[in-house]
Amino acid sequence: MSDMEGMMPQLTLNADAAKVEAPALTLSLEPEPAPEPAKPEVKPVVIDDSMLSEAEKKVVDDFSKKIDINDSQMVLQYGVAAQKGVAGFSESALKNVKTKDLGEVGDTLSSLVVELKSFGQEEEEKGLFGFFKKAGNRMEAMKAQYGKAEANVDKIVRELEEHQRVLMKDVAMFDQMYELNLKYYKELTMYIIAGKKRLAEVQSGQLEELRQKAERTGAQEDAQAYNDLVQMCDRFDKKLHDLELTRMVSIQMGPQTRMLQNNDTLMVEKIQSTLVNTIPLWKSQMVLALGLENSRRATAAQTAVTNATNELLKKNADMLKMGTIATAKEAERSIIDIETLQHTNQQLISTLDEVIQIQREGAQKRRAAEAELGRIEGELKQKLMELRG
């Protein structure tokens, strides 16, 4: 009964509603485009104790108690060791990328392709004359050509094996670099949490006490002591901000390191496939070619001429087709692709927009800073006057 009720016509006194629910007719076979899914809201990461294990929390608590915000030298050196570690790590990664030229591997593989294709070309270039050579001389020529190609391929194999050895060493090194960067990231996180914990304690404790004392006594030295601690807290807060920036660099270095490692791994796999598949297959094909040449020695000269003529005609037709098509494509192609001009124009517009935005934000920040400096100066002057009173 419920199914029948669902199929019952719906009656309404609202003509507009009836129009909305009317079926839509179309001649297009393509479905209507689905609405784009809403982008998930990005939840900001908060650096706090939830990132740490129980053992790490204890280390942070113990360390935070040793932080003396009044010690300007300590504030200056706070977390510098971890920052230097991240900087050194970044420099090592950059050096590895700059000194390694994967283009050499590509050149070596290209040389291998040329060498594999070169076998048999000498006979083809001689045309029909090759079919009238003595069978023994032709066989000796093929053997000599195969021996030369084999020697060149063996040399290329040694170069590929050396490239593979270097790349495998780099893959292992990237694992070490990733673990080292993870260590620096964890250290920076603990430095930041410990610093924030200590800063909050000083601001709610010692700093508040000095403020109350300065207001109570009205002494210049008490007001100065309060102001000095305010300045030290501000410096320490800026130091923690610097550590947060360094921590973000460390976070970004993690996936970047894995990307570099993955590139090397893919190249190692390519070389490995060449060594165990491509080259052995080529050698087996060359052996088959020599065997087929022994069988072909018994064929008649007329058959050889006919086959050679047919192959020559086919080859010339294929070459003519490919050459004509390639020439036509190149002739129709513009000197500069429209996609390149569009991309260049978009990048130029984006750059100009960003420069304008940066200049506007800089002007706004300067105006805000000027107003804030005036307000701070007036506030300080008023506070000192209150303390003297």
Side-chain angles (χ1 to χ4, degrees):
M1 186 65 179
S2 60
D3 293 339
M4 294 296 296
E5 292 177 352
M7 298 176 61
M8 289 291 292
Q10 300 296 317
L11 303 181
T12 178
L13 297 177
N14 188 342
D16 293 335
K19 292 181 180 179
V20 171
E21 295 181 1
L25 302 181
T26 177
L27 296 176
S28 175
L29 297 179
E30 298 181 359
E32 295 184 1
E36 296 184 0
K39 294 183 180 179
E41 182 178 357
V42 178
K43 184 178 181 181
V45 176
V46 179
I47 305 176
D48 54 21
D49 290 351
S50 62
M51 295 181 172
L52 307 178
S53 63
E54 293 300 325
E56 292 170 343
K57 289 179 181 179
K58 186 177 184 307
V59 172
V60 167
D61 290 339
D62 295 339
F63 183 74
S64 66
K65 298 175 183 178
K66 301 177 183 179
I67 301 175
D68 184 7
I69 295 182
N70 292 292
D71 187 349
S72 59
Q73 189 65 24
M74 188 227 66
V75 172
L76 183 64
Q77 296 298 325
Y78 188 78
V80 170
Q83 286 182 306
K84 288 183 177 179
V86 174
F89 173 83
S90 302
E91 183 177 354
S92 300
L94 178 61
K95 181 179 179 181
N96 181 272
V97 174
K98 290 173 62 178
T99 56
K100 180 172 57 181
D101 184 9
L102 290 180
E104 296 180 359
V105 180
D107 293 340
T108 304
L109 292 174
S110 298
S111 300
L112 176 62
V113 173
V114 172
E115 197 61 46
L116 298 184
K117 289 183 176 180
S118 65
F119 185 81
Q121 285 186 355
E122 180 179 355
E123 181 179 357
E124 293 178 1
E125 292 174 356
K126 293 182 179 180
L128 295 177
F129 178 74
F131 290 94
F132 292 98
K133 291 171 58 179
K134 292 182 179 180
N137 292 340
R138 183 167 58 243
M139 176 62 69
E140 292 299 323
M142 287 188 65
K143 289 181 178 179
Q145 188 181 17
Y146 173 74
K148 179 181 178 182
E150 186 179 27
N152 292 336
V153 169
D154 289 341
K155 178 181 177 181
I156 293 174
V157 166
R158 290 191 294 270
E159 294 178 0
L160 288 175
E161 290 175 342
E162 178 62 21
H163 287 312
Q164 185 181 35
R165 185 189 67 80
V166 173
L167 290 172
M168 292 178 67
K169 182 179 178 181
D170 288 346
V171 169
M173 179 201 65
F174 278 127
D175 275 332
Q176 297 176 359
M177 292 176 65
Y178 182 84
E179 294 299 328
L180 184 61
N181 180 65
L182 190 62
K183 171 179 175 291
Y184 291 142
Y185 159 76
K186 179 61 69 173
E187 288 181 359
L188 286 167
T189 301
M190 296 175 69
Y191 272 120
I192 293 169
I193 295 175
K196 288 186 175 181
K197 181 179 179 64
R198 182 56 179 166
L199 180 61
E201 292 175 353
V202 171
Q203 289 176 336
S204 62
Q206 184 181 357
L207 185 62
E208 182 63 21
E209 292 175 359
L210 288 177
R211 186 187 67 80
Q212 294 178 2
K213 182 180 179 181
E215 291 179 350
R216 185 176 61 255
T217 64
Q220 174 66 29
E221 58 271 20
D222 292 338
Q224 188 62 52
Y226 168 72
N227 182 68
D228 289 343
L229 186 57
V230 169
Q231 296 299 322
M232 292 303 296
C233 289
D234 184 63
R235 287 183 56 194
F236 191 63
D237 184 61
K238 291 179 180 178
K239 184 64 177 181
L240 294 179
H241 179 67
D242 288 341
L243 293 179
E244 290 177 351
L245 296 178
T246 306
R247 177 179 175 273
M248 179 53 64
V249 172
S250 179
I251 291 175
Q252 294 175 346
M253 285 300 297
Q256 290 171 351
T257 302
R258 288 307 191 200
M259 289 174 62
L260 293 175
Q261 186 183 41
N262 184 61
N263 292 339
D264 286 352
T265 302
L266 292 176
M267 188 57 65
V268 169
E269 294 173 352
K270 179 65 176 179
I271 294 176
Q272 184 71 18
S273 177
T274 301
L275 294 177
V276 301
N277 294 322
T278 305
I279 294 177
L281 178 62
W282 172 78
K283 289 185 177 181
S284 65
Q285 292 300 312
M286 293 305 101
V287 173
L288 291 176
L290 293 174
L292 290 175
E293 180 63 21
N294 284 325
S295 300
R296 198 178 64 163
R297 292 171 61 181
T299 59
Q302 183 61 45
T303 302
V305 171
T306 302
N307 292 339
T309 302
N310 290 333
E311 291 297 325
L312 182 61
L313 291 175
K314 290 179 181 179
K315 182 178 179 180
N316 288 340
D318 292 341
M319 293 178 62
L320 178 61
K321 177 182 178 181
M322 290 187 295
T324 303
I325 292 175
T327 302
K329 287 182 178 179
E330 191 61 30
E332 293 298 328
R333 183 182 178 184
S334 301
I335 298 178
I336 301 177
D337 293 339
I338 189 64
E339 291 82 1
T340 301
L341 295 176
Q342 291 174 344
H343 177 75
T344 303
N345 192 58
Q346 291 174 357
Q347 292 298 103
L348 179 59
I349 293 174
S350 176
T351 301
L352 293 175
D353 288 340
E354 290 183 12
V355 170
I356 293 172
Q357 183 63 27
I358 291 172
Q359 291 175 346
R360 290 176 178 173
E361 291 177 355
Q364 293 175 358
K365 290 180 179 179
R366 287 194 298 272
R367 289 193 295 270
E370 291 175 0
E372 182 64 15
L373 289 175
R375 188 193 66 79
I376 291 174
E377 181 178 356
E379 184 181 26
L380 177 59
K381 181 177 180 180
Q382 180 181 353
K383 180 58 65 177
L384 293 177
M385 291 298 295
E386 291 177 1
L387 293 177
R388 291 176 182 172

